[in-house]
């Protein structure tokens, strides 16, 4: 899929959430979409689940 098409789909999802669910749903969909985008970019860049586990282990010390 091209980037403009994905952007259009994301915009439509935000519009539906805003229209049917109000501003809170709009923010929730936007935040979860941003997290999904970040996770996708991280995995695409060669990230692994082990990296996440190691980050949590370092945080506990």
């Amino acid at each position: 899929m091209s980037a403009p098409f994905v952007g259009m789909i994301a915009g439509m999802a935000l519009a539906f959430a805003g229209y049917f669910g109000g501003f809170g749903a709009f923010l929730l969909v936007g935040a979860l979409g941003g997290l999904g985008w970040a996770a996708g970019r991280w995995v695409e860049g060669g990230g692994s689940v082990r990296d996440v586990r190691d980050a949590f282990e370092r945080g506990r010390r």
Side-chain angles (χ1 to χ4, degrees):
M1 280 194 242
S2 68
F5 182 74
V6 172
M8 180 188 70
I9 296 299
M12 290 173 63
L14 287 171
F16 278 113
Y19 183 77
F20 291 111
F23 189 67
F26 173 80
L27 290 178
L28 180 64
V29 169
L32 292 177
L35 286 174
W37 175 83
R41 293 287 293 185
W42 176 70
V43 169
E44 187 178 69
S48 69
V49 177
R50 177 170 278 165
D51 296 337
V52 175
R53 186 198 61 180
D54 292 343
F56 280 112
E57 290 294 323
R58 282 191 301 253
R60 287 192 214 164
R61 296 180 195 165

